[in-house]
Amino acid sequence: MSDRGYRRPRALSPLREHLRDTFWFAPTVGLLCSFALWWGVSALDAEIVAHLKDEQAYEEVGDLIRFADDARTIVTTVSSAMMTFIGVVFSISLVAVQMASGQLTPRVVRIFVRSRISKLTLTVFLATFAFSLLVLTSYESESDPRRVTSVPLLQSMLTLAMVGLSLLLFIAYVSSTLRLMQVGPVVDRITHESLRVVGRMPGGVREELSLGAETARIGYSGRAGVLREVNVARLVRVARRQGAVLRLIPRIGDFVVPGTPVLAVHGGALPQRMPRYTISVGVERTPQQDLAFGPRQLSDIALRALSPAVNDPTTAVQCLDRIVQLLAAMVHLPLGAVQHRDGAGVVRLVQDGPEWTDLVDLAFEEIRWCAARSPQVSRRMLAGIDDVVALAPEDRKGALVRHRELLVKAVERTVPDVIAREFALFPDRQGIR
């Protein structure tokens, strides 16, 4: 095993992942909670009035009625304006997200959909709207303190508190949405997600392992989609019960279709059936176990920035900054095939993963084709490669040196002027200072 601590990937929770990818669950729960809250608070208001009437405190009941009448105007205004406010806010937000996806990459929409502040804001807005409507039904036309049965005192105060909370969340939500339109916060978010994946992924094993003859293959029988996660613990248990070693055939991030072999069985007996939730397949990649997804997103943003239609080399330089950061974080980590063991230390699952060369190619190959036309990008890429080469062990420098040589040749072919070529080939961590 690797020198670093082994941390088995967490078990899958398909329901949790599905709810994180949807925008209806949290607002629906918020609406139900607003109804339950109104029911409870209205009962308390009725108890307060009943207690005051039992104490013959009719003057205090009259004061409550006058306060509730004053608050009724605010509650009516809130109920009529909140839905319009929700429509305007989220219409503007969707336009902002569309602009961000067009300028950066469509994958940033996932950040918005899974954003907790976005869901919390919509939930509180809708809950405030529904609660204010329910409060309006609690107002009685009776104004005689001796005959009134309930005064929505606590309900009105709670409505005002929810309005204040909505305003605070609106400020936070607008700030979060504006950050989504900025390149720096987006690439920083992608980088931190990738670094968390690096910390969770178990290290690869360098020693060779003889798996024995392949006795069977298990095909995928679900809906077509991208392999997002694997329940390592469950597969290890299945393999231990059958006395076999399982080998995951596709990598995380591969597209699988029904009938595609996903598991190879080495030794032991073929499992009668695979347990549910062994693998998670979805419509798009997620960063939970996908080590290459972060560099893929950064490369996409850089490529779009370097396209003739956009021509924004500074954005590409920002992406290269983060790509270099990720490579530097992985340069000493064992990569490639990962062997998962049971409690007795016996290998039960072999999971293929990206090698160092694969990650370096993903990071630099496509950007290098466009970098020759931009001295700012070529200078930053050369400086980044040099930085990672200085950190890399000898067996990992070859892939980096190869990309450096290919970049130099591309610039030499593209830039005929000697002085301009020397300028484009000068390493600079800022691109052009």
Side-chain angles (χ1 to χ4, degrees):
M1 298 295 291
S2 70
D3 293 334
R4 67 183 182 133
Y6 177 81
R7 296 180 60 189
R8 181 172 291 173
R10 60 174 176 76
L12 291 177
S13 177
L15 178 60
R16 184 182 68 86
E17 291 302 312
H18 172 70
L19 295 179
R20 289 189 66 186
D21 288 333
T22 59
F23 225 79
W24 60 266
F25 177 71
T28 302
V29 172
L31 291 175
L32 296 177
C33 290
S34 67
F35 179 81
L37 182 63
W38 168 78
W39 182 81
V41 175
S42 62
L44 289 176
D45 282 332
E47 289 290 336
I48 291 175
V49 173
H51 175 73
L52 292 176
K53 291 174 67 175
D54 291 341
E55 298 292 332
Q56 303 293 318
Y58 296 111
E59 183 177 353
E60 286 78 2
V61 175
D63 293 337
L64 295 182
I65 294 175
R66 286 187 290 273
F67 174 82
D69 288 339
D70 294 337
R72 184 175 187 174
T73 304
I74 300 177
V75 175
T76 303
T77 304
V78 170
S79 62
S80 61
M82 184 58 70
M83 204 62 192
T84 303
F85 183 62
I86 293 173
V88 171
V89 169
F90 278 86
S91 296
I92 296 174
S93 301
L94 291 177
V95 172
V97 172
Q98 184 178 9
M99 293 177 60
S101 64
Q103 293 175 355
L104 302 176
T105 174
R107 260 66 66 185
V108 301
V109 178
R110 178 188 58 86
I111 299 177
F112 174 79
V113 172
R114 296 170 71 94
S115 171
R116 291 188 178 92
I117 185 64
S118 301
K119 294 178 181 179
L120 179 61
T121 302
L122 179 60
T123 299
V124 174
F125 281 9
L126 291 177
T128 302
F129 171 70
F131 190 83
S132 62
L133 291 180
L134 293 173
V135 171
L136 289 177
T137 64
S138 300
Y139 283 95
E140 299 180 4
S141 58
E142 183 61 56
S143 59
D144 187 355
R146 299 177 180 274
R147 302 175 60 181
V148 71
T149 60
S150 177
V151 178
L153 171 66
L154 298 179
Q155 299 174 61
S156 300
M157 296 176 63
L158 189 56
T159 301
L160 298 179
M162 294 179 69
V163 171
L165 178 61
S166 298
L167 294 177
L168 293 177
L169 285 176
F170 171 68
I171 298 173
Y173 176 74
V174 170
S175 176
S176 175
T177 304
L178 291 177
R179 286 177 60 84
L180 185 61
M181 299 178 63
Q182 298 175 281
V183 178
V186 171
V187 298
D188 180 70
R189 173 74 174 271
I190 294 172
T191 304
H192 281 284
E193 287 181 348
S194 301
L195 291 176
R196 283 197 296 268
V197 177
V198 172
R200 289 196 302 261
M201 293 293 288
V205 179
R206 288 301 180 186
E207 63 268 18
E208 293 292 334
L209 176 68
S210 177
L211 298 179
E214 182 179 313
T215 57
R217 286 194 170 191
I218 302 175
Y220 174 66
S221 58
R223 297 176 60 183
V226 177
L227 179 59
R228 303 191 301 182
E229 291 182 300
V230 177
N231 192 328
V232 173
R234 187 166 298 183
L235 285 175
V236 168
R237 288 196 299 269
V238 170
R240 186 184 66 247
R241 287 196 299 265
Q242 302 296 331
V245 178
L246 299 178
R247 177 171 56 86
L248 185 68
I249 298 174
R251 286 185 182 180
I252 300 296
D254 286 356
F255 190 87
V256 295
V257 298
T260 301
V262 291
L263 288 172
V265 182
H266 295 264
L270 176 67
Q272 295 297 321
R273 63 183 180 86
M274 294 306 300
R276 296 181 63 187
Y277 309 135
T278 299
I279 62 175
S280 174
V281 175
V283 296
E284 61 180 358
R285 297 168 70 174
T286 59
Q288 274 68 34
Q289 295 181 11
D290 196 343
L291 192 62
F293 186 48
R296 176 71 275 168
Q297 294 179 86
L298 295 173
S299 179
D300 287 344
I301 296 175
L303 290 172
R304 181 164 298 209
L306 292 175
S307 65
V310 179
N311 193 22
D312 183 12
T314 303
T315 294
V317 167
Q318 289 181 273
C319 294
L320 284 171
D321 292 340
R322 299 301 183 167
I323 288 174
V324 172
Q325 179 184 358
L326 291 178
L327 291 179
M330 296 183 290
V331 69
H332 292 292
L333 298 182
L335 301 171
V338 179
Q339 297 175 5
H340 302 279
R341 304 172 185 267
D342 59 15
V346 179
V347 175
R348 294 300 182 184
L349 174 65
V350 178
Q351 180 180 355
D352 189 21
E355 299 281 356
W356 171 254
T357 302
D358 299 329
L359 294 173
V360 173
D361 290 342
L362 176 60
F364 294 129
E365 180 68 28
E366 294 174 300
I367 300 177
R368 195 191 71 241
W369 286 81
C370 303
R373 302 191 303 267
S374 173
Q376 182 178 357
V377 179
S378 64
R379 289 161 63 98
R380 179 63 186 99
M381 183 177 290
L382 288 171
I385 292 176
D386 292 343
D387 289 341
V388 181
V389 167
L391 298 174
E394 290 298 326
D395 60 334
R396 291 190 173 180
K397 291 183 179 181
L400 297 165
V401 173
R402 177 172 61 86
H403 279 282
R404 194 185 197 288
E405 293 174 350
L406 291 173
L407 177 59
V408 171
K409 291 179 181 179
V411 173
E412 290 175 347
R413 290 193 305 267
T414 306
V415 183
D417 185 75
V418 176
I419 297 178
R421 186 164 60 241
E422 291 179 353
F423 180 82
L425 293 177
F426 183 81
D428 189 341
R429 290 189 180 90
Q430 295 186 25
I432 299 178
R433 297 181 185 272

